[in-house]
Amino acid sequence: MKKILKKLTYASLFFMALAFTSCQEEFEEIGNQEEQQAIEVGSNTALLIENTSANDGSFDNIVDGSSCIAVQFPYTVAVAGVEITIDSIADLKVIEELFDEVDTDDDLLEIFFPVTVTLSDFTEVVIENKEALRELAADCLEGGDDDDIECIDFVYPITLFTFDVQNQQSGSVTVNSDREMRLFFKDKTLGELVSIDFPITLKKADGTTLEVVNNAGLAAALSNAKDECDEDDDNDYNDDDFEDNSFVEYLTSCEWVLKEIVRNGGDQTGQYLEFIFEFDDEGVVEVEGMLGNSFAGEWSLAFTEDGPKILMAFDTNTDFSLEWRVYELEEGIIKFYSDNDNKMVLRRACTDNTICDITNVAANLSGCKWRIADASWDIDFDGLIDFSNFNIHAYQNSGAFVDEGNWELTQEGKFKFNALFSANLEGLLGEWSVLECEPGSIKLGNADNAYVVLEKDCEFELPSADRLATILQECSWVIQRMKQEGARYNRYLGYEFLFNANGTVTLEAEAEVVSEGNWELGFNASGQLAIVISMMAEQELNFEWPLVEMLEQKLTFKIEETGKELTIQRVCEQENDEDVQSIRTILMSGLWNITELTEGDMVLTANHSDFDFDFKTMHQVELSINQDPITAGLWRNYRDYPGDLRMALNFEADVYDLGVLSEAWYITEVSENRIKMVYENEETVKVVVFEKKP
């Protein structure tokens, strides 16, 4: 039996596919027609837009050998007999490290089929075997038919205007990602007309941004970006393609600090840690130790089919005297490898001062959104700040508006933040100098010796009413946690919401409708996105619930003033989850008894050991003693976000002391005859063990 308890984090794609028709609205006349020229689907400009918004599949070329497709997580591969589950991009590093340690060939990596791949137009295809994958990948090898433009990106959201059959502007659609942009154009037929609500912002691969105000500017920017960067479309994971001149300049322009060295399998890092390497362009390398001891040698560089190789030769030190292959470049890190289990890692010891130039920092600040990571004063703000177009817009993570203002660059080369009114952010007002900077962080200081550290966040998407509405209607949602006045409230634990497109909502338990009502989305008085549930028969649910967290498979709503909280879990795709289905089958295969039940230091087993639990279909569990029915409750097993297996049990609290079982338990052990579950919070730890009755 497979290990059904393995924790999996699914990178779900369901939430990205929005229903564009729900975003359309009545069109209002636009004044500046010069900036709102129509784009014909199929034209050169439209193709440039499609290629820029195409799905980039080059990040996993080490697996599929094709930049036009990407294998969806999770999947399993074997490399040189080592089985690896690939749950994220980070796991691909493991494959390359194994490749670097053994003689590689095309048959070294084995994929366990079937897998699902995403094409450049975001179409999803199930691949059943290696031959089918090779046939699909053959159309898109390096230097082949890979048209995507990766050196420039759209900064979303972007509004597109649509036209009716008489070519009159008829509606608008707001797209929030490359996926939505590509799917929008994919849904159009040749000759249809679309226009863009300019100005829009483009972000280049070097982090700088560009504002365009018309179609001509857009086409020029996208066309010029085609060859502005290395798109890393070869068949490895990281970019191991090096140009002779650029790599030599990179190596010789700075000192390097040794972070790790392994010789013939033995770790020698301790005696060389923090040694400084300095390569000059005359072929001399000088090494200096922590105590001032130094020695010099020679180095040379050769570019081979396996990448660049550096030969270092020292008269007084043999640990560094070797031909080292450069197998990976990370930001400020070079990793070297050689045969017989030899490895060396060097870290760049200087920074590129050009990125701290005020204009470069300003361009960086205008891209993506930023969080305040640290400040010299107390600040109660954990949201996002958008500095684009010299404006300041601050939001909570829930999408609630917090503050707005603007910023400028002074003649003295400083930032000046203006017009902020929120008590949380007024500390940013005034002039600031750049103290430190990296591509993803900026530290600013002012004349009063105050400082603030900003960190870039390009991944987080602010919730929108359209997106939340789509998510709610796509699936059924189970109540995983609920609080009343700050205390846990298990009355509805495991109950299921169905949010319908016509504005009605049903609440179900044991596959039967318990209550019906209505729902709608809007913004409350604080500007926070909220869902209003009108269900008069269920007064505990009949509230305006502000959204405080929107994750891929979980939504959390909270009313701060009253301590009410509601967390719902997306469950409709789990009919295809093998682990969930296996546990469900095991539980319904016979009667079960509690053989262990503890809460903190209390042992409660004896109070519940006589009950026979019969887990039925439709999420009902029946209790009996010696075949005499006693009561019934609700059970539901599912996988939560971010991937734990859970079991919700719900019984009336005052019946046979069964309330102690009413929790959303974590399933920690499973076999054909035994299931162990744990529940833990800040107040207590509970453990329950069910064993199948003989």
Side-chain angles (χ1 to χ4, degrees):
M1 178 179 159
K2 65 177 291 188
K3 295 182 179 179
I4 59 179
L5 292 177
K6 181 173 183 181
K7 178 177 177 180
L8 300 175
T9 303
Y10 288 103
S12 172
L13 297 177
F14 289 100
F15 295 98
M16 300 296 292
L18 300 185
F20 289 106
T21 54
S22 66
C23 300
Q24 294 182 350
E25 57 188 27
E26 190 67 21
F27 182 75
E28 295 181 4
E29 188 69 15
I30 297 177
N32 191 344
Q33 292 298 323
E34 181 181 355
E35 294 186 0
Q36 306 296 338
Q37 309 161 39
I39 299 171
E40 184 176 335
V41 175
S43 67
N44 180 61
T45 301
L47 292 176
L48 287 170
I49 294 172
E50 292 181 47
N51 292 340
T52 303
S53 58
N55 181 50
D56 176 20
S58 61
F59 68 88
D60 66 350
N61 285 356
I62 197 170
V63 174
D64 58 35
S66 173
S67 299
C68 295
I69 62 178
V71 184
Q72 292 185 14
F73 305 123
Y75 57 92
T76 302
V77 300
V79 180
V82 179
E83 190 171 315
I84 308 167
T85 298
I86 306 300
D87 289 316
S88 65
I89 292 178
D91 292 335
L92 297 171
K93 279 177 174 272
V94 179
I95 298 176
E96 186 171 15
E97 289 171 359
L98 287 172
F99 276 5
D100 292 328
E101 293 174 6
V102 297
D103 292 329
T104 63
D105 57 59
D106 291 340
D107 297 324
L108 182 63
L109 185 143
E110 178 186 358
I111 302 174
F112 291 85
F113 294 94
V115 296
T116 301
V117 301
T118 304
L119 307 185
S120 61
D121 64 356
F122 293 96
T123 299
E124 297 178 4
V125 179
V126 176
I127 304 297
E128 299 289 348
N129 51 56
K130 179 170 62 178
E131 290 71 25
L133 180 62
R134 285 180 173 176
E135 182 178 348
L136 188 62
D139 295 331
C140 182
L141 299 175
E142 183 174 14
D145 186 21
D146 179 17
D147 295 325
D148 66 320
I149 300 173
E150 301 165 30
C151 300
I152 198 167
D153 293 308
F154 292 109
V155 178
Y156 297 98
I158 293 175
T159 299
L160 306 174
F161 297 104
T162 57
F163 294 77
D164 59 22
V165 292
Q166 287 81 33
N167 291 338
Q168 299 295 312
Q169 291 174 338
S170 60
S172 67
V173 174
T174 298
V175 294
N176 296 284
S177 66
D178 282 342
R179 180 184 179 87
E180 295 177 27
M181 179 72 82
R182 186 61 186 259
L183 290 175
F184 173 81
F185 275 90
K186 181 182 176 182
D187 191 47
K188 300 299 177 184
T189 57
L190 292 178
E192 282 194 65
L193 299 180
V194 176
S195 66
I196 298 176
D197 186 12
F198 291 106
I200 63 171
T201 302
L202 302 172
K203 181 184 176 184
K204 295 185 177 181
D206 61 6
T208 60
T209 57
L210 173 68
E211 184 178 279
V212 294
V213 297
N214 53 40
N215 292 338
L218 176 61
L222 300 185
S223 180
N224 292 337
K226 281 184 178 180
D227 301 314
E228 283 189 349
C229 68
D230 178 4
E231 296 185 349
D232 193 20
D233 286 345
D234 50 4
N235 292 338
D236 58 10
Y237 161 66
N238 233 349
D239 188 1
D240 295 343
D241 301 327
F242 308 94
E243 296 179 3
D244 300 35
N245 293 335
S246 62
F247 181 69
V248 171
E249 182 181 354
Y250 185 63
L251 187 66
T252 59
S253 63
C254 189
E255 294 179 341
W256 295 84
V257 180
L258 186 137
K259 306 305 293 183
E260 182 181 1
I261 182 169
V262 176
R263 285 303 311 267
N264 300 318
D267 192 342
Q268 304 297 320
T269 306
Q271 60 176 315
Y272 298 118
L273 185 64
E274 303 296 327
F275 270 45
I276 303 295
F277 286 69
E278 185 174 1
F279 300 86
D280 71 14
D281 53 11
E282 300 296 328
V284 176
V285 53
E286 295 185 359
V287 183
E288 183 176 350
M290 296 290 290
L291 301 178
N293 51 316
S294 62
F295 49 91
E298 297 179 347
W299 74 280
S300 59
L301 179 67
F303 286 83
T304 71
E305 292 182 356
D306 296 328
K309 292 184 177 181
I310 292 180
L311 176 63
M312 287 194 281
F314 297 88
D315 293 334
T316 59
N317 189 291
T318 58
D319 282 338
F320 303 119
S321 297
L322 200 66
E323 184 177 57
W324 299 92
R325 180 165 67 87
V326 180
Y327 76 88
E328 189 166 330
L329 272 182
E330 297 179 356
E331 187 172 329
I333 298 286
I334 299 181
K335 295 182 180 180
F336 300 89
Y337 174 79
S338 185
D339 295 334
N340 300 320
D341 201 8
N342 296 296
K343 179 182 179 182
M344 182 168 62
V345 179
L346 300 180
R347 177 177 56 81
R348 191 173 172 87
C350 59
T351 59
D352 185 357
N353 290 329
T354 61
I355 67 172
C356 286
D357 178 83
I358 189 68
T359 56
N360 290 334
V361 175
N364 191 19
L365 194 67
S366 298
C368 296
K369 296 179 177 61
W370 297 78
R371 296 185 183 275
I372 297 178
D374 191 17
S376 57
W377 69 96
D378 291 334
I379 185 167
D380 185 20
F381 178 70
D382 188 31
L384 295 167
I385 305 178
D386 185 348
F387 292 98
S388 60
N389 300 319
F390 289 94
N391 292 313
I392 302 173
H393 293 98
Y395 306 89
Q396 296 177 5
N397 291 331
S398 61
F401 171 78
V402 174
D403 203 349
E404 64 180 344
N406 58 78
W407 61 280
E408 58 186 303
L409 297 179
T410 69
Q411 293 183 347
E412 293 77 20
K414 297 181 179 182
F415 287 100
K416 186 178 181 182
F417 299 123
N418 307 308
L420 296 169
F421 60 84
S422 168
N424 285 330
L425 297 177
E426 63 182 2
L428 292 177
L429 289 169
E431 295 185 354
W432 298 83
S433 300
V434 178
L435 300 180
E436 299 174 11
C437 61
E438 295 290 343
S441 66
I442 301 170
K443 184 175 183 179
L444 305 176
N446 65 14
D448 296 325
N449 294 320
Y451 70 85
V452 61
V453 178
L454 303 173
E455 290 188 352
K456 184 181 288 189
D457 189 337
C458 299
E459 302 297 327
F460 187 85
E461 291 188 41
L462 286 169
S464 68
D466 287 338
R467 182 175 178 227
L468 179 57
T470 301
I471 290 173
L472 286 170
Q473 295 171 62
E474 281 179 341
C475 196
S476 55
W477 296 82
V478 166
I479 296 177
Q480 179 172 290
R481 183 176 65 229
M482 189 171 175
K483 289 185 177 181
Q484 294 277 57
E485 298 180 353
R488 286 185 298 142
Y489 185 74
N490 291 333
R491 162 73 174 83
Y492 298 104
L493 186 63
Y495 281 44
E496 183 177 11
F497 276 122
L498 292 174
F499 296 94
N500 303 310
N502 61 2
T504 61
V505 57
T506 61
L507 183 68
E508 297 185 0
E510 302 168 19
E512 295 184 358
V513 175
V514 176
S515 293
E516 296 179 318
N518 298 289
W519 70 282
E520 61 179 324
L521 298 178
F523 292 86
N524 62 16
S526 300
Q528 194 168 5
L529 182 60
I531 181 172
V532 179
I533 298 178
S534 301
M535 191 173 287
M536 301 306 297
E538 312 295 339
Q539 289 300 309
E540 298 91 340
L541 298 172
N542 196 57
F543 291 105
E544 177 185 277
W545 295 93
L547 179 69
V548 295
E549 185 178 43
M550 184 161 67
L551 301 176
E552 291 179 349
Q553 298 188 29
K554 185 177 76 171
L555 302 171
T556 300
F557 306 87
K558 189 173 184 179
I559 306 174
E560 295 286 353
E561 299 80 3
T562 61
K564 296 182 183 296
E565 185 174 336
L566 176 65
T567 298
I568 56 178
Q569 169 74 44
R570 181 184 177 106
V571 296
C572 59
E573 301 94 352
Q574 299 194 5
E575 296 303 318
N576 298 320
D577 189 312
E578 293 183 8
D579 293 345
V580 171
Q581 294 304 314
S582 294
I583 294 174
R584 194 167 295 173
T585 299
I586 290 172
L587 282 169
M588 293 191 296
S589 64
L591 299 178
W592 296 77
N593 298 125
I594 291 178
T595 58
E596 179 184 343
L597 177 60
T598 61
E599 181 174 7
D601 297 331
M602 296 185 297
V603 179
L604 307 174
T605 311
N607 299 338
H608 302 82
S609 59
D610 292 336
F611 294 116
D612 294 332
F613 289 78
D614 189 2
F615 295 93
K616 299 286 190 180
T617 59
M618 304 303 181
H619 309 295
Q620 185 180 56
V621 54
E622 296 179 353
L623 274 67
S624 61
I625 298 177
N626 297 325
Q627 298 183 351
D628 292 330
I630 300 299
T631 188
L634 179 148
W635 74 283
R636 181 189 296 273
N637 71 304
Y638 59 93
R639 190 184 297 278
D640 74 357
Y641 181 91
D644 295 305
L645 290 165
R646 304 288 290 269
M647 164 87 92
L649 290 174
N650 193 343
F651 299 96
E652 291 187 30
D654 56 350
V655 177
Y656 299 100
D657 296 323
L658 292 172
V660 69
L661 295 175
S662 295
E663 302 290 1
W665 300 87
Y666 289 91
I667 301 174
T668 59
E669 295 179 21
V670 175
S671 68
E672 294 291 342
N673 299 301
R674 187 176 188 270
I675 293 181
K676 182 179 180 180
M677 303 187 295
V678 176
Y679 175 81
E680 182 176 1
N681 62 18
E682 63 278 3
E683 301 169 354
T684 188
V685 176
K686 296 182 183 182
V687 177
V688 63
V689 175
F690 285 94
E691 293 187 2
K692 185 177 288 187
K693 187 174 181 178

